[in-house]
Amino acid sequence: MSVFDHSNSAWQLGCLSNNLMKRSKSMPESSFNDHGLLDTIHRSKSTSNIPKLGFRDHIWTYTQRYLAAEAIEDAVSENGTPKDEGNKDGTHLVRLLVSCAEAVACRDKAHASNLLAELRSNALVFGSSFQRVASCFMQGLTDRLISMQPLGAVGLVAPTKNMNTIALDKKDEALRLLYETCLHIKFSHFIANATILEVFEGEKYVHVVDLGLTLGLQQGHQWRGLIESLSQTHTPRRLRITAVAVGPYINQFVTIGNELKVYALEKDIDFEFAIVESSLENLKPGDIKTYKNEVLAINSILQLHCVVKESRGALNSVLQIIHELSPKVLILVEQDSNHNGPFFLGRFMEALHYYSAIFDSLDAMLPKYDTKRAKIEQFYFGEEIKNIVSCEGPNRVERHERVDQWRRRMSRAGFQGSPIKMTNQTKQWLEKLGICEGYTIVEEKGCLVLGWKSKPIVAVSCWKC
C-alpha cells in the first residue's frame, strides 16, 4: 500500500500497468507512453492536506488520472501546438487546466486563483483551437470557484444569479450560426425527417410532437423540409405540429408557427400548429391533445438530457407520458458523451476531450479570426461547457450521456429500439453538402453517430412502444 502514499510512484504505476487498467470506451487508442505526459503531470501541492483516502478511492483516483492524461495527449496530438504563440505551449496549457481543476476540486482557492491568473494569459479566444476551448473551461472553473464553499463544507453555494445565462439574442445568433456552419443539427434534422416520412407514408392524418422545437431555432428549418416532402407525396390531408416550450422561447415559437402556416398554405398542406406551455419536467398527461386515426411521432433534438437528474424521476416521468401517447416512433438525438459522471474531475476531462474535437472541427471550417466562430464557441458551446464545469444539482442541465446509457434508459421505460438503416444515404447526403473532410458517420447498434475524426459528437436513435 506504500505506493499510494507517493504521487510520483502512483503515476509510474499508471505507466507500467497500461494493459491492466480498463480503457474508457470514449477514449481512443493513443501513443501514451511515447509522449511521456504522465511524467509531467503531477499532483497539485494543494492536495497534501486532504484526508487519506481508502484503497478503492485510490484506485478510482489514479485510474481517472490515467484516463485524463490520455485525453490530454489526444487533445494535443489532434489539435497540435501553435507554432506562432511562442511559449504558449499546448502541453503546458493542458497541464495548467488539469492542475487548476484539481485545485478547484480540492477547494484550494488560493492555488486555483493563481493557476486561473496564468490561464487567462494563455487561453485565448482567438488562439489555436485548444487555446479557445481552454478559455471556455477557464471561465467554467472561475464560476465554480466563485460559488464554492470553504474547505470542509459540502456542495456549492446557490448563486444569487445565473452566471451562465447570456442575452437571448446572443444565444439565438450563436444557434443560427451553428446551424449554418456545423452539421450537428442539420444531420439530426435529416435523419429525423427521413424517419418521420417513412412512418407517415400512406397516412392521411399525421401529428408531430416536437420537444423544444430545436431550441427555438428560427424559421423552423426542420418542419419546412418535412412540409415540402409531404407536399410531393399528395398523401396527408392534415399535418399537426405541437411544440412543447416554456419561458422566453414562447414568443419565438408563436412566430415560427405562423411562418410555417404560411409556408404550408403555399404547399397546399392543411396545417395546424399548437404550443404546450410547459417545461418537460412539468409536462402532464393530457397536455398533448391527440385525435383519433392520426399517426403520432415524437421528435426530441438535444432536449431530454436536460431532464436527466440524480433522482431520475423527472426523465422517467417524461418517458412515461410519451409512452402513454403510443407514438409510432420517437426520434431521440443527444450528444454522445458522458458529461454526467458523479465525480467532477472525470466529468471535466471527458468534457475537455469532447469539446476539443468540436473546436477542432470549427478550426477546419472557419478562419482563425472569424467572429462567427467566436460567437458559436463562446455563446453556444461555451455556455454548455460552463454549465458542465461550474454547476451542480438542479442548476446543472447539460447532463449529456453516451448512447449506451440512453439505450438502457429507454429500454427500462418500455421502448424498443428501431434500427436506422440509412448509413449509405446519409453519407451521400454528407458528400453533397461539400463540408470539409473530417466528419464521420457510423452505425452503432442501430443508431447513427456523427463524429469528428472518429470522435463521437451526436447520436440519433429511433424508438417504438
Side-chain angles (χ1 to χ4, degrees), residues 258-316:
N258 292 334
E259 292 175 348
L260 289 175
K261 288 178 182 177
V262 173
Y263 188 71
L265 185 61
E266 295 174 357
K267 297 297 182 180
D268 197 26
I269 293 289
D270 182 7
F271 179 77
E272 295 180 22
F273 185 83
I275 299 175
V276 175
E277 295 190 30
S278 172
S279 66
L280 292 179
E281 292 183 55
N282 296 324
L283 195 64
K284 296 179 177 61
D287 284 346
I288 298 172
K289 307 300 181 183
T290 58
Y291 296 156
K292 187 178 180 180
N293 298 327
E294 71 177 6
V295 176
L296 178 66
I298 306 292
N299 188 73
S300 177
I301 309 290
L302 310 179
Q303 291 295 313
L304 283 183
H305 70 265
C306 295
V307 290
V308 175
K309 307 295 183 182
E310 285 89 347
S311 65
R312 302 180 182 177
L315 179 62
N316 291 340

Side-chain angles (χ1 to χ4, degrees), residues 28 40 42 61 75 82 110 147 226 241 331 386 456:
T40 61
H42 300 285
T61 298
S147 62
L226 182 68
I241 293 179
I331 298 99
K386 285 190 289 183

Side-chain angles (χ1 to χ4, degrees), residues 395-408:
N395 292 326
R396 181 156 61 87
V397 297
E398 301 296 343
R399 295 173 176 267
H400 313 145
E401 295 185 330
R402 296 301 306 271
V403 67
D404 286 340
Q405 179 65 22
W406 279 108
R407 189 177 288 111
R408 288 190 289 270

Side-chain angles (χ1 to χ4, degrees), residues 205-271:
Y205 303 103
V206 293
H207 183 190
V208 178
V209 174
D210 193 350
L211 308 182
L213 206 64
T214 313
L215 309 172
L217 184 64
Q218 298 176 3
Q219 298 182 357
H221 294 287
Q222 179 177 4
W223 305 127
R224 284 176 178 265
L226 182 68
I227 289 171
E228 183 177 0
S229 298
L230 288 174
S231 68
Q232 296 171 0
T233 64
H234 303 290
T235 299
R237 294 183 181 177
R238 183 184 64 217
L239 167 64
R240 299 177 60 221
I241 293 179
T242 299
V244 179
V246 70
Y249 289 107
I250 289 293
N251 292 333
Q252 291 186 17
F253 282 26
V254 172
T255 301
I256 292 171
N258 292 334
E259 292 175 348
L260 289 175
K261 288 178 182 177
V262 173
Y263 188 71
L265 185 61
E266 295 174 357
K267 297 297 182 180
D268 197 26
I269 293 289
D270 182 7
F271 179 77

Side-chain angles (χ1 to χ4, degrees), residues 377-389:
E377 292 173 346
Q378 296 296 315
F379 299 140
Y380 185 82
F381 291 120
E383 289 301 299
E384 288 186 354
I385 291 169
K386 285 190 289 183
N387 187 266
I388 293 168
V389 173

Side-chain angles (χ1 to χ4, degrees), residues 152-204:
V154 178
L156 302 178
V157 176
T160 56
K161 62 178 182 178
N162 189 350
M163 295 181 294
N164 291 326
T165 56
I166 59 176
L168 189 61
D169 58 344
K170 290 183 178 179
K171 279 188 174 182
D172 288 343
E173 184 181 8
L175 180 61
R176 176 181 60 82
L177 293 172
L178 173 68
Y179 180 82
E180 295 173 354
T181 305
C182 302
L183 282 182
H184 309 175
I185 298 177
K186 289 181 181 177
F187 167 79
S188 306
H189 286 176
F190 175 76
I191 303 298
N193 276 5
T195 303
I196 291 172
L197 284 170
E198 183 179 347
V199 169
F200 286 172
E201 185 176 358
E203 300 291 343
K204 296 179 180 179

